[in-house]
Amino acid sequence: MPTLNYPSTLRKHNARFCDEPMNTRSTSTDDSESTPPDPYEVARSGTAFWADAAADAIEARNPEEPVVLKGGVSPSGIPHIGHFNEILRCYFVAEVLRERGHEVRQVFTSDDRDRLRKLPRQLADENWEIVGLGDVDAGALGRNLGRPYTDVPDPFGEADSYGEHFTNLLRRSVERLDIPVEFVSNTELYESGAFDDAIRTVLSNRGTARDLLAGYQDGVDEGYVPFFPVCESCGTLTGTATGVDLDAWTVSYVCEDIETGDDVIEGCGHEGTTSLRNGKLPWRFEWPAQWDVLDVDFEPFGKDHAEGSWPSGTDIARQLFDNDPPVGMVYEWFTLEGAALSSSAGTVVTIDEVLDLLEPEVLLYFFSKRPLKQRDFSIENLDQLVDEFDRFERVALGDSDPGGSDRKQRAQQVYPMLADSEEHLRIPYTFAAVLGMTDDPDLREEIARREGHIPEDASEQAVAGALDRVEQARTWASRTGNAFDYELKRSQMPEVSFDPDTEQALDELAAFVAEGHDGDAIQNRIFELAEEYDLEVGGFFGAGYRLFFDDTEGPKLGLFLAKLDRQFVVDRLRRQR
RNA sequence: GGGCUUGGAGCCUAUGAGGUACAGGCGUGGGACUUUUAAUCCCGAGACAGAGGGUUCGAAUCCCUCCAAGCCCUCCA
């Protein structure tokens, strides 16, 4: 027995969901021992961290070491943050299990033998540049509809296939997040024969397989053969196998039209026979086959699978493969700015993009939250997420605990999974955005110090780390064009027109600046001049912001002007350049 | 049609195995820092937990009905 250190309340909780009958229309008469916990319950964790509950459920199965956690997606297009549920939900559970002394293997299957069903409207090249379908040879790509992703050429001509191209992109994002993941190609599993036993099991028990599936799906009739061969003539993953010869390890087929949603992929009509390694199992069988072949103990999945392929999959795992299905966990989908994430519709945020806007630990933090909650990823309001993380970090590190001890305990548990143990100095995100108005690193630091965001005794390294956020926040501000998007208009003077009083006041201010005064003095002078010329204070400041930022707002003007080179300021105040 | 998930102040995030929501943040109103903005500090307003029933001494937390959004019963994190 490993020493487990978690609250006793949790144990009670586990007992609860382990004993509950599965919430499906399973037709099986299995004993409770092989009934996996309800994947919704696994995602709910009461007062504990959800990954703890998942780890509990996994331990309840007495898994063999190493414990295998798996995720997977089809490489159908641009990998976006939603796909990372498959990676990061596993990651947190893996971390918990490691803490408990388990050996863990985190696996990701690229379901790359799935067929290309339709062309996405957008693609991303090997440099993560998003390009429209029109920018590649869409015609050539279109001729590959119906083929497995690994048989479709990479439209960018770099990788071996379309599937490999997008898998590579995803893998690189995983690497940027520094998550240890083993990638497995589904196509390779088929080609290497790793799936042979599973295929044999399905096809030699066709009647059982059919009956099982028919309990969950309509349209599974007598002639149904649960295998899709690749047509040797046109390369399409066909839908109609007509017979199998297990001794010869072949399957015969007719290459008929395939309906995929609204579209129909035309078959070439070829009738042929091919190897059982040249094709694939239908998803409903393939998933449990993966569990069996890879010895999967845990798998998170999107809510789209929760009511369909999960119940049938667990049933098939037990009854057909005689295998205990893994612990499943449902997660809700993210939205982007309130809209569904969709590669084809172009509502996509990639990990790469996000990491230009915030630190990896903030992104991980987003994924550490309750899985069943529908969450919006909002770039518009990204500052709120970062602020929330900063608070979370402070609580975890013990500086304060406004939310109570439970919250603190959780923070202390989760935080080490997000960030390294080095000292992190954080400048508030929106303030960092404002600092982006100047390119001068020294000036940035000075302003940050002046405003109290950098303590006297901060190490050089910590300061540098803190200022790294400025670039991210500035990118965010300029990308969203929000209120923090200040940019010093140094090279060219914005178009301005002021009334005569304002112009005179600006000239006097220029003269004052020319004399050489510190920031406070200049700030005071601005107020005095506004009074002397009977100008609205706000309006006069506004004139300054217009001149220097082409905006109505800006930083504390006097202090800021004092930091810039004097002649430039004087000239600009005189509207000369 | 059947099933599932989510639903807290203007917004975000918690809590959620029944026991008073003075919760935190953002935003907002006011004030302080010699006087607009950013930042910092103080104070204030703001929800009775989607709606309605029920169980209970007591429910945001259990049950029922309904509503909204999303998902599944073809493929899709």
Side-chain angles (χ1 to χ4, degrees):
Chain A
M1 274 294 276
T3 313
L4 306 183
N5 193 7
Y6 51 93
S8 57
T9 52
L10 202 54
R11 237 168 270 166
K12 219 181 349 176
H13 180 79
N14 295 333
R16 197 186 85 212
F17 70 63
C18 289
D19 289 342
E20 269 177 7
M22 215 176 44
N23 196 4
T24 69
R25 40 180 175 160
S26 162
T27 54
S28 69
T29 54
D30 56 283
D31 56 294
S32 64
E33 200 179 66
S34 63
T35 303
D38 176 20
Y40 290 101
E41 281 303 325
V42 174
R44 280 186 271 259
S45 54
T47 54
F49 182 37
W50 57 266
D52 266 315
D56 291 342
I58 294 167
E59 285 186 328
R61 308 173 77 237
N62 294 315
E64 286 176 25
E65 307 284 329
V67 180
V68 177
L69 317 180
K70 172 179 124 50
V73 296
S74 304
S76 56
I78 303 171
H80 56 68
I81 55 166
H83 296 123
F84 275 74
N85 274 304
E86 296 285 322
I87 303 280
L88 292 173
R89 299 295 171 186
C90 282
Y91 166 71
F92 285 106
V93 178
E95 284 292 284
V96 170
L97 288 170
R98 287 190 195 102
E99 271 168 34
R100 296 185 187 180
H102 293 282
E103 196 188 325
V104 180
R105 240 184 103 199
Q106 184 174 340
V107 176
F108 179 87
T109 53
S110 179
D111 296 333
D112 50 11
R113 188 152 261 194
D114 294 2
R115 69 177 136 240
L116 178 67
R117 279 178 292 111
K118 60 177 182 180
L119 301 184
R121 205 167 296 170
Q122 292 189 322
L123 305 161
D125 70 15
E126 62 275 13
N127 299 315
W128 274 111
E129 294 296 325
I130 311 282
V131 302
L133 189 57
D135 297 326
V136 300
D137 190 344
L141 201 51
R143 284 192 282 280
N144 289 284
L145 282 173
R147 290 185 186 158
Y149 291 116
T150 39
D151 290 341
V152 177
D154 175 9
F156 302 100
E158 294 265 328
D160 282 351
S161 70
Y162 183 103
E164 192 185 287
H165 170 75
F166 286 111
T167 303
N168 283 344
L169 286 182
L170 188 119
R171 187 196 326 246
R172 270 164 43 203
S173 290
V174 171
E175 282 164 6
R176 269 189 87 175
L177 289 172
D178 205 20
I179 310 283
V181 176
E182 223 176 287
F183 277 73
V184 173
S185 157
N186 224 28
T187 293
E188 259 174 55
L189 291 180
Y190 281 108
E191 287 180 345
S192 70
F195 269 140
D196 280 0
D197 285 348
I199 291 169
R200 185 179 300 279
T201 301
V202 173
L203 295 181
S204 60
N205 297 288
R206 250 188 288 168
T208 311
R210 217 161 26 218
D211 291 348
L212 276 168
L213 193 58
Y216 297 91
Q217 280 189 342
D218 293 335
V220 181
D221 52 29
E222 274 304 294
Y224 179 76
V225 178
F227 194 84
F228 301 144
V230 172
C231 174
E232 294 204 337
S233 175
C234 68
T236 298
L237 198 57
T238 67
T240 320
T242 50
V244 294
D245 183 338
L246 292 176
D247 293 329
W249 205 242
T250 56
V251 54
S252 51
Y253 60 90
V254 186
C255 189
E256 295 177 326
D257 291 357
I258 304 157
E259 289 179 30
T260 61
D262 303 331
D263 303 318
V264 175
I265 296 172
E266 281 181 27
C268 69
H270 181 250
E271 290 183 35
T273 301
T274 190
S275 164
L276 278 166
R277 287 191 182 177
N278 189 32
K280 80 187 283 289
L281 292 166
W283 168 242
R284 293 277 180 138
F285 292 100
E286 184 179 77
W287 203 18
Q290 288 178 333
W291 297 336
D292 195 18
V293 169
L294 297 169
D295 258 326
V296 179
D297 296 296
F298 172 78
E299 178 147 2
F301 44 87
K303 62 171 170 184
D304 53 331
H305 288 314
E307 308 303 324
S309 37
W310 173 254
S312 68
T314 52
D315 214 10
I316 288 167
R318 283 189 307 260
Q319 310 228 30
L320 201 57
F321 293 111
D322 193 25
N323 181 43
D324 263 4
V327 172
M329 187 184 84
V330 182
Y331 58 83
E332 262 292 345
W333 288 355
F334 298 141
T335 53
L336 172 65
E337 238 66 77
L341 283 167
S342 160
S343 303
S344 49
T347 29
V348 165
V349 204
T350 67
I351 295 290
D352 226 59
E353 267 177 292
V354 172
L355 290 180
D356 285 341
L357 305 177
L358 41 67
E359 295 93 350
E361 50 267 42
V362 182
L363 182 63
L364 291 183
Y365 170 72
F366 183 71
F367 279 90
S368 76
K369 304 209 269 190
R370 285 166 41 211
L372 272 185
K373 172 102 170 167
Q374 295 166 0
R375 278 174 213 288
D376 186 46
F377 189 85
S378 171
I379 293 180
E380 200 70 35
N381 301 320
L382 206 60
D383 55 316
Q384 291 199 6
L385 177 65
V386 180
D387 284 352
E388 195 187 313
F389 169 80
D390 286 354
R391 256 174 276 126
F392 173 83
E393 181 177 61
R394 267 178 262 126
V395 170
L397 299 179
D399 288 352
S400 59
D401 55 337
S405 62
D406 278 0
R407 197 112 136 240
K408 188 180 179 91
Q409 211 171 11
R410 175 89 63 93
Q412 285 175 330
Q413 179 191 4
V414 176
Y415 180 75
M417 302 178 189
L418 311 178
D420 56 45
S421 54
E422 281 167 35
E423 177 197 1
H424 291 285
L425 182 59
R426 310 286 185 190
I427 298 177
Y429 194 71
T430 52
F431 185 73
V434 173
L435 284 182
M437 67 190 148
T438 168
D439 287 324
D440 182 350
D442 294 333
L443 182 50
R444 287 178 180 176
E445 181 175 341
E446 204 173 330
I447 298 173
R449 279 187 189 278
R450 165 132 204 153
E451 298 296 336
H453 294 302
I454 298 179
E456 292 292 322
D457 58 354
S459 73
E460 212 170 293
Q461 208 178 357
V463 173
L467 289 173
D468 283 346
R469 184 175 270 185
V470 176
E471 281 308 318
Q472 298 167 333
R474 171 206 232 176
T475 304
W476 167 71
S478 70
R479 175 177 167 158
T480 58
N482 63 16
F484 305 101
D485 183 20
Y486 305 132
E487 186 196 344
L488 178 61
K489 302 285 191 246
R490 185 175 263 285
S491 55
Q492 201 179 358
M493 185 168 76
E495 276 190 39
V496 291
S497 92
F498 302 119
D499 59 67
D501 283 346
T502 302
E503 291 190 340
Q504 272 198 36
L506 287 170
D507 287 340
E508 279 210 38
L509 183 60
F512 186 77
V513 171
E515 290 167 15
H517 293 279
D518 68 15
D520 284 330
I522 295 173
Q523 183 81 354
N524 282 331
R525 188 71 187 135
I526 296 173
F527 283 107
E528 287 170 12
L529 285 168
E531 200 173 326
E532 284 173 27
Y533 285 87
D534 200 23
L535 300 168
E536 291 256 347
V537 173
F540 191 43
F541 270 98
Y545 294 133
R546 184 60 63 192
L547 271 174
F548 288 92
F549 298 100
D550 198 14
D551 206 331
T552 55
E553 302 179 337
K556 202 164 238 176
L557 199 54
L559 297 169
F560 187 73
L561 296 185
K563 301 299 183 204
L564 299 177
D565 68 280
R566 194 176 298 159
Q567 198 53 52
F568 165 70
V569 173
V570 171
D571 291 349
R572 180 59 60 85
L573 286 172
R574 289 179 175 145
R575 285 92 61 212
Q576 286 171 349
R577 63 163 160 139

